[in-house]
Amino acid sequence: MSTRITVLLFLGILISGAVYLELWWLCAMLGLLFVIAIVDITQRKHTLLRNYPLLGHMRYFMESIRPEIQQYFVETNISGRPINREYRELVYQRAKQESDTRPFGTQFDVYKTGYEWISHSLNPVHMENKHPRIKFGGPDCAQPYLASPLNISAMSYGALSKNAIIALNKGAKAGGFAHNTGEGGLSPYHLKHGADVIWQIGTGYFGCRTSEGGFDADEFGKKSRLEVVKMIEIKLSQGAKPGHGGILPAQKLTAEIAEIRSVPMGADVVSPAAHSAFDSPVGLLNFVEQLRELSGGKPVGFKLCIGIPHEFLSICKAMLETGITPDFITVDGSEGGTGAAPVEFTNSVGMPLTEAVVFVNNALVGVGVRDKVRIIASAKIFSAFHIAKIMALGADTVNSARGMMLALGCIQARSCNNDQCPTGIATQNPARYKWLDSDLKGDRVFNFHKATIHNLLELLGACGLKEMTELNRSHINRRISANTVTTYDKIYPEYAKDCLVEEGSCPVELQTDWHRANANAW
């Protein structure tokens, strides 16, 4: 019946147009709507459109702009996810060298469970060292590296556009901080301005890959000895999708990226979930030693998101058994970001950063190697307080990915996985990234880093600390209930040195995992 009525209405429109020629435009518009309605009624894919032709399209349109409506008109400054407006604005303002002060008091609820703050001193000091450095390189490292407290986290060319990578490299060069390549290989754009580079080696071995997809020692040896390559990072897993492997969607794969990675065109580039160069904790450390030798003695470490505790303790036992220690361990929290991750993995797999850093630090202290191994923390680092908090828990330096993307101009459109990034950062579409001015954006990355380090030093000075190494868990407070506040040294007590290896001193909470740990098997 509805179809008959529609047909009769269409015939009436045609007749009206023939009689009243001045209404031709109205007839054309109504005729187009009629065609759309017929298509809606006859298609089988969407029941909604069959029941509500024309009108149903409004629902899909409103759904398409829901993220923008939510971000611009619904969320408050502190309720947004994954990154709230308070911190997005902070990065924007510091990157543009605009005022980053806040009027009229904090918007955070200081009486809400989970609120955190740092204890200041009535005897604040002025920190003289404006360019603090942390030495990376254990006893077996011939070319140690002096790193900034804040560096660029792993982001591959492919995940980001070439203009975005060039801008990050320029900012890192100007600010004297490190630029991690991500697992996508050592691209020309990571070398553009000569910034210090941390070369990440993932399970796909991109950039040092054989034709069969395995590790190519000769190719690695050549590239790792480049002057700009300061450290090597073996990627075991990442916070946003631990245990899954990396994904570069086919729509973001260009001929140039395929050549850099030595992969075929036309399909998603999926890194395996596990490495083929080793299959045990001892094997991992032997691989660390191999890369250190091939690179001429540069610092070598690995990156992981903590999952099953006894597996990391197995690595610790392997350190004791082999005498080989990595120069650093990058701890990625499960709240880390990525351009493409399965929902279950990004939401429900892996240990969050706070607990992960505490666990890794305690384990290294417990086996007596903490003084040889640096800890890098990675995940949701935007402000000086974020850095101070995670350093108090045990990190030596931090990496930021999304903070640096925001400095480039990212608007959190969350289109990283479909090549539709509106700011030209996370896309390989030349029509989108060609307008990203790498010189200007590089300056903004530099500004953000400089302002954040400046505020970190001011924050520590306000606490009466003269050196970053004086910061500890007792400086950070956390509200754990409406009327109870405690410090992190009470929530996460520090372990005694060698407590895991001395008879009868293993902490109760780790006894089961420590006994299960095996240096020769995960």
Side-chain angles (χ1 to χ4, degrees), residues 51-209:
N51 286 330
Y52 302 96
L54 296 180
L55 189 61
H57 288 284
M58 290 298 297
R59 186 263 180 190
Y60 294 113
F61 171 73
M62 296 301 292
E63 184 181 48
S64 71
I65 63 172
R66 181 179 179 274
E68 289 78 10
I69 297 297
Q70 178 76 20
Q71 183 178 137
Y72 298 129
F73 300 107
V74 178
E75 70 179 40
T76 68
N77 274 11
I78 60 176
S79 67
R81 296 286 187 275
I83 305 165
N84 64 39
R85 188 74 196 177
E86 178 81 356
Y87 293 126
R88 296 202 305 271
E89 282 188 351
L90 180 68
V91 177
Y92 296 149
Q93 289 161 345
R94 289 180 174 172
K96 297 176 183 178
Q97 294 185 300
E98 297 176 351
S99 173
D100 62 356
T101 57
R102 296 290 185 268
F104 225 64
T106 181
Q107 294 187 56
F108 289 99
D109 183 354
V110 299
Y111 297 102
K112 183 179 179 180
T113 299
Y115 177 73
E116 297 173 335
W117 69 95
I118 193 168
S119 297
H120 70 284
S121 171
L122 292 178
N123 184 34
V125 300
H126 180 72
M127 295 190 72
E128 298 295 336
N129 184 6
K130 300 302 180 185
H131 303 284
R133 295 285 150 176
I134 297 87
K135 182 182 177 181
F136 280 70
D140 299 318
C141 180
Q143 300 186 55
Y145 176 60
L146 298 178
S148 167
L150 171 63
N151 300 286
I152 300 173
S153 197
M155 291 182 282
S156 304
Y157 171 49
L160 300 192
S161 68
K162 65 180 182 181
N163 284 19
I165 295 292
I166 291 171
L168 290 171
N169 198 253
K170 182 189 177 186
K173 177 63 176 178
F177 52 99
H179 184 185
N180 192 306
T181 66
E183 67 176 308
L186 195 61
S187 77
Y189 311 112
H190 288 101
L191 309 175
K192 177 73 174 179
H193 290 282
D196 295 344
V197 167
I198 300 172
W199 184 12
Q200 186 182 92
I201 308 297
T203 56
Y205 305 111
F206 303 125
C208 54
R209 173 187 175 98

Side-chain angles (χ1 to χ4, degrees), residues 295-418:
S295 66
K298 293 180 179 179
V300 178
F302 55 84
K303 171 183 177 177
L304 81 168
C305 177
I306 297 296
I308 300 172
H310 80 257
E311 292 184 345
F312 182 79
L313 295 177
S314 295
I315 299 175
C316 293
K317 280 190 174 180
M319 294 181 201
L320 298 176
E321 182 175 305
T322 63
I324 302 169
T325 54
D327 296 294
F328 65 92
I329 297 173
T330 301
V331 182
D332 205 15
S334 62
E335 64 270 42
T338 183
V343 171
E344 292 82 2
F345 282 79
T346 197
N347 287 341
S348 308
V349 181
M351 187 181 292
L353 185 63
T354 295
E355 287 76 14
V357 168
V358 169
F359 172 72
V360 170
N361 182 76
N362 283 349
L364 295 178
V365 169
V367 295
V369 300
R370 181 63 180 88
D371 59 330
K372 300 177 182 178
V373 184
R374 295 296 190 190
I375 295 176
I376 302 173
S378 174
K380 283 198 171 183
I381 304 294
F382 309 108
S383 75
F385 176 73
H386 293 147
I387 299 174
K389 170 193 165 182
I390 210 66
M391 282 185 169
L393 290 169
D396 294 292
T397 66
V398 303
N399 286 349
S400 177
R402 284 169 291 184
M404 298 297 178
M405 289 177 68
L406 290 170
L408 289 174
C410 170
I411 60 172
Q412 196 170 267
R414 304 186 72 190
S415 298
C416 315
N417 60 332
N418 58 22

